[in-house]
Amino acid sequence: MINPNDKKLHTDQTFLLRRSMGEIADPVQFKEEGNKHFQAGEIDKAIECYTKAIKSCKDKKALAVIYRNRSACFLKKENYNNAVSDASKAIDVDAADIKALYRRCQALEKLGKLDMAFKDVQRCATLEPKNKTFLETLRRLGADIQQKLKTTFSTDSRVQNMFDILFSDESDKEKQEKAANNLIVLAREDAGAERIFQNNGVPLLVQLIDTGKPEMILAAIRTLSGMCTGHRARATAIIHTVGISKLCSIMAVDNEEIVLATANLFQCVYDSLSGGDKRNYGKEEALVLDSSKDLKDILLALLEMIASKKVSGHGRDQALNLLTKNVPRKDKKNTDNSKGLFTIDHGLKKILKVCGQVPDLPDQLPLTENTQLIASVLLNKLYDDMRCDPERDHFRDTCDEYIKSKFDPNDMDRNIHAINTLSGILQGPFDVGNVLAGRQGVMEMMVALCGSEREVDQLVAVEALIHASTKTSKASFFISNGVTLLKDMYKKTKNEKIKIRALVGLCKLGSAGGDDYSMRQFAEGSTEKLAKQCRKWLCNPTLDVRTRKWAVEGLAYLTNDADVKDDFVEDEAALRAMFELAKSKDKTILYAVACTLVNCTNSYDKKEIIPEMVQLAKFSKQHVPEQHPKDKKDFIERRVKRLLKAGVTSALAVMVKADNSILTDQTKEMLARVFLALAEDIKDRGTIVAQGGGRALLPLALEGTDKGKIKASHALAKIAAVSNPEIAFPAERIYEVVRPLVSLLNTERDGLENFEALLGLTNLAALNDKLRVKILKEKALPEIENYMFEEHDQIRQAATECMCNLVSCKEVQDRYLEDGNDKLKLLVLLCGEDDVQLQRAAAGALAMLTAAQKKLAVKITKVTGQWLEIIQRLCIHDNPEIQHRGLVTVFNMLDADEQLAKKLIECELLEILTYVAKLEDNPKKQDAINAARACLSRAMDTGLIKPFSN
């Protein structure tokens, strides 16, 4: 029989054992730790402790206190929804918990729920009627609610008035345009959007669309976009009222402005329904139970659009763009790729149909210059989204089946559709295209098309050959079979369009050696002749844009040769012609232009050649890469100057604005590389800024590949370090520069990147408080402090200068006031260094800190025994700026503490102050002289010294 007491003893021992292992913790201990972290400003750690306390606390009253404390943390973190939730849980236990009530009031006010906030503070004022804070908040919220009611009533009448003007036949056009713009602006604010929605706005906007007037349709679509942005309930209502099919029919029109606006509306709806917009809109969201059906219907509608003849080229482009943006996973760690699989099952063949269109044939889908490349990009993203081999096999088999179904010995049009589809795949998921190109009958079909008398057959065949030879390491099949075909076509055809394409194919195959001078594929001089012909075609205005584009494609490969790039940059007419093409509507040229510029500026990654390894390779008879004489630094610098003179920066600025589906991450990286090469010489940075380079770099630094973002950030740092940031990055853009520069402050970046980023931040920090706060918010302060310990003199100096400009911030001063760190000690010791620039920066920081915080003036005497010697050296420094800063620090110390002032006056410092103060007025040293006189005046005021008397 088991003794109950034994069982209890066993239970207690188990409890103690689990507690010692950390499985069970004391909630009181966690709460106390949380309180300490909160008082120290370590909010995240405090939240973590309170959360642990909540999980282990069983006492209701204690739990209420912990919830109340965590609510305060969430208020600090500006997480107002969680702050409301925690405060409410505390109030549920004790309705008179005045701290919880006031915290909930504060959070509700921030969320815009003024009426609920007013009720909470009213309860607080009832409990403590003499509390001035509660009474002031009560008065302020009462006034805000009255103003809101007034605005709401006036907004209702304004909304109705706007619709009356828009529907009136008697209103003049200018009045209607103003009403439409006001409606759009109103819809962008949540309160305004809600008033439009509540005033029967959606049906009225549908009526505006039904007028068929482009300006009315545009105003209605843009208003709907504002109304549904971030609001799931309104987005659902709009979709069901307007109808997905109606929106698709609007996006199908041949009006680019309306198409773009409708695509933006679709994106706003999709973000709101899928949770892409993270804002919380409270109870309205609970009304929308499940958006999955609406999201699926939108995907199906977009897939129907891309293969429909009723859709314009612009509409098709935007349908493909929406699929590219919303279907593939944004984070590969997410294992759910169901949207990608759904799209492949219901739309892969439709995308392939777009790829296979041949505009020169009758009865084709309406396309723009960019449509087929956008389709190829979508194919590539869908293939990358596959998670396993069976999924990839299914993708490849579907493509294979589609191409095979189009081959028909009796119908050449179907055959060229199949080969053009293959071209589209080769521009997207190349590995899939390479496998399909090796299938039986494909090469034979290309041979047949090359021998055809029809121009369109030859064009399609040669373009397929070009795309198949993109990756020479994987295109062995085409290299062995396609070269002969291309050579024959180049020599025999008299058609310029075919000739140029054949030449590009040969250029691709001939550039396999890259910039390795010893691996030249063509005979001496042949590459230059091909490039000369490409430049000739490029500058020929009688050729169509599509043909001239292929000339740039050829140069993108031929400029691997240093002779070719040197000749090309000397040909200003060819450069300008390429830049004009880059600015044209045909954005398929961007990649080729970017490649050409990377080659001309030598901004590609270069393998470091180690002399010992070269000798070893020669000894073992291995291939050793050789540098072309014209790839040396002086030649590169000269080419950069020629590009800048020809207007490369303005061309790059236009290229950066292209749609993301065309401007791929790889292209962005290449543009970033070019910008960095252009900004290398400090003298050229003004030209880059003047032509819009600063603004163009910002999106490249924030989006793209990791390497591309680093290169763009480094180029921004180079510009920010030497330019006036307010001119280089006008208006609000200046605040966007901070994050890219801060991203360069880590140990993975090289010393030059660290140094120039610090210089850029120093420049920004000198401008205003808002920028200084932004730098601190980006968590740059710990990194800057670390670089002040750096052994490299220039980096240490740059970090200290940056800190000097940041010390006016209260947050920075608080860090210096904290005990247990050497920040102030380091600053004092840096004042004693021999480097004049470093001394100047450190002395400036010390002067500003001691002026702002008297405690720091006293703390200086405790951080190092050398403090007095260092301060005296500053006061007798040869450099007037450093001397002035030292004397200002002395004044601050005299003003801070009576005992410290006495100690300063009793030492040799009094003689130094007297000597400097007696100097004759001198414009160069006047600041220092005045500071010394102010020190003596202060000492006299406190009775430490007395004036001489006769």
Side-chain angles (χ1 to χ4, degrees), residues 354-581:
V354 175
C355 289
Q357 297 298 296
V358 183
D360 297 331
L361 293 180
D363 199 33
Q364 300 292 296
L365 298 174
L367 307 174
T368 68
E369 302 91 341
N370 305 318
T371 307
Q372 287 172 300
L373 183 59
I374 297 170
S376 294
V377 171
L378 175 55
L379 286 175
N380 194 45
K381 287 191 176 283
L382 287 173
Y383 187 70
D384 283 347
D385 199 47
M386 300 296 96
R387 292 180 54 234
C388 57
D389 287 340
E391 289 177 2
R392 294 184 194 95
D393 292 342
H394 172 62
F395 184 98
R396 187 174 57 247
D397 292 343
T398 305
C399 295
D400 194 13
E401 180 189 325
Y402 181 84
I403 290 172
K404 280 180 184 175
S405 70
K406 296 298 174 185
F407 280 135
D408 186 343
N410 300 317
D411 189 341
M412 196 58 82
D413 287 358
R414 285 177 65 84
N415 291 332
I416 62 172
H417 179 88
I419 297 301
N420 216 34
T421 304
L422 179 61
S423 282
I425 298 169
L426 286 163
Q427 289 178 82
F430 182 84
D431 293 342
V432 175
N434 199 33
V435 171
L436 299 180
R439 295 277 196 256
Q440 187 176 1
V442 174
M443 193 66 200
E444 290 80 357
M445 181 54 67
M446 288 192 189
V447 172
L449 290 173
C450 287
S452 171
E453 293 181 3
R454 283 201 313 177
E455 179 187 284
V456 66
D457 296 345
Q458 294 181 46
L459 287 173
V460 168
V462 74
E463 286 184 17
L465 284 168
I466 291 166
H467 295 312
S469 55
T470 296
K471 296 184 182 176
T472 51
S473 59
K474 295 184 178 180
S476 54
F477 177 80
F478 272 93
I479 292 169
S480 56
N481 293 277
V483 174
T484 310
L485 271 174
L486 291 169
K487 281 183 178 177
D488 287 345
M489 292 182 82
Y490 182 70
K491 288 176 183 175
K492 293 175 183 177
T493 186
K494 293 180 180 178
N495 186 318
E496 294 277 271
K497 292 180 181 178
I498 295 164
K499 201 176 188 74
I500 193 169
R501 286 163 172 79
L503 181 142
V504 171
L506 291 170
C507 292
K508 277 193 173 187
L509 297 172
S511 63
D515 67 340
D516 185 352
Y517 184 49
S518 64
M519 291 280 286
R520 302 180 81 171
Q521 301 292 303
F522 296 135
E524 191 75 37
S526 297
T527 309
E528 289 93 313
K529 286 178 184 176
L530 290 173
K532 190 176 180 181
Q533 184 61 55
C534 281
R535 298 205 312 271
K536 183 181 172 185
W537 279 321
L538 177 60
C539 296
N540 187 350
T542 60
L543 291 173
D544 61 278
V545 172
R546 199 172 164 201
T547 303
R548 291 168 68 204
K549 180 194 84 172
W550 283 103
V552 181
E553 288 270 359
L555 287 167
Y557 290 94
L558 290 171
T559 47
N560 275 310
D561 187 300
D563 288 316
V564 170
K565 49 187 153 188
D566 224 48
D567 291 342
F568 181 46
V569 296
E570 294 297 326
D571 189 343
E572 193 166 326
L575 283 178
R576 291 186 183 278
M578 183 175 77
F579 296 155
E580 287 306 312
L581 279 179

Side-chain angles (χ1 to χ4, degrees), residues 278-292:
K278 302 295 181 190
R279 282 177 284 182
N280 188 316
Y281 286 87
K283 292 180 182 178
E284 295 93 339
E285 247 175 75
L287 302 173
V288 187
L289 296 174
D290 186 13
S291 302
S292 57

Side-chain angles (χ1 to χ4, degrees), residues 825-840:
K825 180 180 179 180
L826 174 66
L827 208 54
V828 174
L829 292 175
L830 290 176
C831 289
E833 291 284 326
D834 294 330
D835 186 316
V836 173
Q837 293 299 324
L838 181 60
Q839 265 189 309
R840 178 177 167 276

Side-chain angles (χ1 to χ4, degrees), residues 113-307:
K113 298 175 181 179
L114 301 184
D115 51 343
M116 294 168 72
F118 184 81
K119 287 177 185 176
D120 279 347
V121 77
Q122 198 173 39
R123 177 77 176 138
C124 291
T126 306
L127 293 167
E128 286 188 17
K130 293 182 180 179
N131 189 307
K132 289 181 181 179
T133 303
F134 296 158
L135 293 172
E136 172 57 27
T137 307
L138 192 65
R139 185 200 61 74
R140 179 170 49 77
L141 284 176
D144 288 347
I145 288 168
Q146 289 300 317
Q147 184 60 40
K148 188 179 179 182
L149 287 170
K150 189 178 175 182
T151 305
T152 300
F153 290 127
S154 64
T155 302
D156 287 348
S157 58
R158 278 170 60 207
V159 169
Q160 192 55 53
N161 187 37
M162 287 175 209
F163 278 116
D164 289 342
I165 293 168
L166 289 169
F167 284 116
S168 172
D169 294 329
E170 296 175 5
S171 299
D172 61 71
K173 191 175 180 182
E174 189 178 336
K175 207 170 183 181
Q176 284 187 326
E177 281 180 6
K178 191 175 179 181
N181 287 331
N182 287 342
L183 205 59
I184 294 164
V185 171
L186 194 63
R188 287 175 183 158
E189 298 171 6
D190 185 57
E194 189 60 28
R195 298 323 306 161
I196 297 170
F197 187 75
Q198 296 295 343
N199 281 275
N200 201 36
V202 179
L204 289 171
L205 289 168
V206 172
Q207 287 180 41
L208 268 186
I209 291 168
D210 291 339
T211 62
K213 297 176 181 177
E215 63 276 10
M216 295 296 178
I217 295 171
L218 207 53
I221 294 294
R222 285 173 175 167
T223 304
L224 288 169
S225 296
M227 288 171 67
C228 71
T229 297
H231 203 291
R232 201 173 174 194
R234 286 202 295 261
T236 306
I238 286 167
I239 279 293
H240 290 165
T241 306
V242 181
I244 294 171
S245 58
K246 188 176 186 73
L247 288 177
C248 287
S249 66
I250 298 167
M251 199 164 83
V253 301
D254 194 13
N255 180 316
E256 190 174 2
E257 203 172 6
I258 290 175
V259 168
L260 287 169
T262 313
N264 182 54
L265 172 56
F266 263 123
Q267 188 60 57
C268 292
V269 168
Y270 200 92
D271 284 344
S272 299
L273 297 184
S274 64
D277 190 299
K278 302 295 181 190
R279 282 177 284 182
N280 188 316
Y281 286 87
K283 292 180 182 178
E284 295 93 339
E285 247 175 75
L287 302 173
V288 187
L289 296 174
D290 186 13
S291 302
S292 57
K293 186 180 182 303
D294 290 332
L295 291 169
K296 192 178 285 185
D297 289 344
I298 291 171
L299 283 182
L300 284 170
L302 293 173
L303 290 170
E304 283 300 317
M305 280 189 74
I306 60 176

Side-chain angles (χ1 to χ4, degrees), residues 592-655:
V593 173
C595 279
T596 306
L597 291 173
V598 165
N599 289 338
C600 289
T601 55
N602 282 51
S603 48
Y604 40 74
D605 286 329
K606 304 169 191 72
K607 288 183 180 177
E608 187 182 354
I609 299 174
I610 302 166
E612 292 81 1
M613 295 302 292
V614 171
Q615 293 300 320
L616 188 62
K618 285 179 179 177
F619 179 75
S620 58
K621 297 182 179 179
Q622 296 292 316
H623 170 69
V624 180
E626 291 179 25
Q627 186 186 41
H628 194 291
K630 290 184 179 178
D631 273 332
K632 290 181 179 173
K633 190 177 179 182
D634 54 336
F635 282 93
I636 297 168
E637 287 173 356
R638 195 170 66 195
R639 288 200 289 270
V640 166
K641 303 284 183 193
R642 297 288 299 178
L643 287 168
L644 285 166
K645 186 183 175 185
V648 66
T649 310
S650 58
L652 290 170
V654 173
M655 291 166 74

Side-chain angles (χ1 to χ4, degrees), residues 808-916:
S808 58
C809 289
K810 180 74 166 57
E811 186 181 330
V812 180
Q813 294 164 16
D814 289 344
R815 286 175 75 94
Y816 277 90
L817 282 167
E818 289 172 4
D819 292 327
N821 65 62
D822 291 331
K823 293 180 177 63
L824 190 61
K825 180 180 179 180
L826 174 66
L827 208 54
V828 174
L829 292 175
L830 290 176
C831 289
E833 291 284 326
D834 294 330
D835 186 316
V836 173
Q837 293 299 324
L838 181 60
Q839 265 189 309
R840 178 177 167 276
L846 202 60
M848 291 173 73
L849 281 170
T850 51
Q853 298 286 345
K854 290 186 178 183
K855 288 181 181 177
L856 288 173
V858 178
K859 191 178 177 182
I860 287 175
T861 62
K862 300 172 185 175
V863 293
T864 173
Q866 302 171 39
W867 68 271
L868 187 55
E869 182 189 340
I870 291 169
I871 295 292
Q872 288 174 346
R873 281 180 61 193
L874 290 178
C875 294
I876 57 172
H877 206 284
D878 294 337
N879 185 302
E881 275 191 88
I882 295 174
Q883 185 181 31
H884 172 237
R885 293 174 186 207
L887 290 164
V888 168
T889 304
V890 170
F891 177 85
N892 296 335
M893 294 173 82
L894 290 168
D895 194 44
D897 182 81
E898 193 176 328
Q899 290 300 317
L900 174 58
K902 189 176 180 183
K903 186 174 183 178
L904 290 171
I905 293 301
E906 286 174 354
C907 72
E908 296 170 2
L909 197 58
L910 179 59
E911 292 179 35
I912 296 170
L913 292 173
T914 306
Y915 169 75
V916 177

